[in-house]
Amino acid sequence: MPKQERAELTRTAILDAAATVFDERGFQGGTLTDIIAGAGVTKGALYFHFSSKEEIAKAIISEQFTIWTPPDDPDLVTLQTAIDLSHGMGLSLQNNPRVRAGIRLVIEQGTFSTPTPDAYKNWIGLVQTCLEGAARQGDLRPDLDPNEVATFIIASFTGVQISSEVLTQREDISERLTTMWRLTLPGIVPPRRLHKFRPEGSNFEEPEPEPANGVSRS
């Protein structure tokens, strides 16, 4: 195996192990010893790629923005984009340990030796971009500031995902996000434009109704 490929596999193993450790124990509870054991690497191999536990944590935090990425075409960036991004993140929180760890680390990073609000600001900035697109299309109330609304939405998302984790281990996060948007949209969208948006996300499919006689069609 080429040296570069082997090094990349080692780095991936370290990040995967670290994500599991941070997801389960948090930044303070997880240790480099735990990460080394989970990755099946030597201490030297870990320090070749990362200088500290905090550097590993920041690498995991940065990865989540490969998921929260709006379309490149400004005309395609809408309020529905923000709704869909939130549901995509919710699904990733259910299925992806790196995303779960990244979200937890953002919230816990006050315990880092050099905490930074950049990740949280990036979340706000992504939603603000969607809201600015909505404003250009007449889908945001003109008396509202996109940055203020984006800050509120990210705060709401953070609370929703934490509540869902505590109460159901995030099994109901999609339903909770739908409720969040259903309650938020009437306050930020002009009434005549409200019909355009799906709080349950664009990819949501209505379940097929049961036949009248109770017999399945399948």
Side-chain angles (χ1 to χ4, degrees):
M1 182 184 299
K3 184 176 181 179
Q4 184 175 355
E5 183 179 348
R6 186 166 60 250
E8 186 57 35
L9 288 173
T10 299
R11 186 179 189 276
T12 298
I14 293 168
L15 289 175
D16 285 342
T20 299
V21 169
F22 291 142
D23 179 35
E24 294 176 353
R25 307 177 196 176
F27 182 73
Q28 290 293 334
T31 67
L32 286 176
T33 300
D34 297 328
I35 295 169
I36 289 168
V41 301
T42 65
K43 184 182 292 187
L46 183 144
Y47 279 112
F48 175 80
H49 291 278
F50 301 100
S51 62
S52 65
K53 182 173 73 168
E54 189 164 315
E55 187 177 337
I56 298 172
K58 288 180 177 178
I60 292 173
I61 287 172
S62 68
E63 284 198 352
Q64 64 196 273
F65 297 102
T66 62
I67 296 172
W68 278 55
T69 305
D72 292 331
D73 186 345
D75 292 335
L76 299 178
V77 178
T78 68
L79 179 53
Q80 189 66 52
T81 306
I83 297 171
D84 294 346
L85 286 171
S86 73
H87 279 285
M89 180 62 84
L91 184 62
S92 294
L93 281 167
Q94 289 179 323
N95 302 321
N96 190 326
R98 286 204 195 183
V99 174
R100 288 197 300 271
I103 294 286
R104 180 168 181 171
L105 289 167
V106 168
I107 296 170
E108 293 184 357
Q109 67 170 319
T111 61
F112 290 8
S113 62
T114 55
T116 171
D118 287 352
Y120 207 81
K121 287 180 177 178
N122 284 343
W123 290 351
I124 293 170
L126 285 169
V127 174
Q128 181 176 337
T129 298
C130 297
L131 292 171
E132 288 169 347
R136 289 192 297 271
Q137 296 159 20
D139 293 332
L140 184 70
R141 279 176 36 194
D143 59 315
L144 296 178
D145 176 76
N147 178 262
E148 290 182 354
V149 178
T151 302
F152 170 78
I153 288 172
I154 290 301
S156 299
F157 176 87
T158 302
V160 163
Q161 70 90 11
I162 290 175
S163 297
S164 181
E165 178 189 14
V166 170
L167 296 174
T168 68
Q169 293 297 297
R170 297 196 178 96
E171 289 183 6
D172 67 349
I173 192 167
S174 178
E175 291 82 359
R176 287 180 178 271
L177 287 170
T178 298
T179 300
M180 181 191 90
W181 285 109
R182 180 171 54 82
L183 296 175
T184 300
L185 287 171
I188 66 174
V189 177
R192 69 185 186 283
R193 313 285 283 184
L194 197 56
H195 69 280
K196 293 176 56 179
F197 302 105
R198 302 189 67 184
E200 69 277 14
S202 298
N203 296 324
F204 177 81
E205 295 183 2
E206 294 284 355
E208 288 190 23
E210 289 292 328
N213 60 8
V215 178
S216 173
R217 299 182 208 178
S218 57

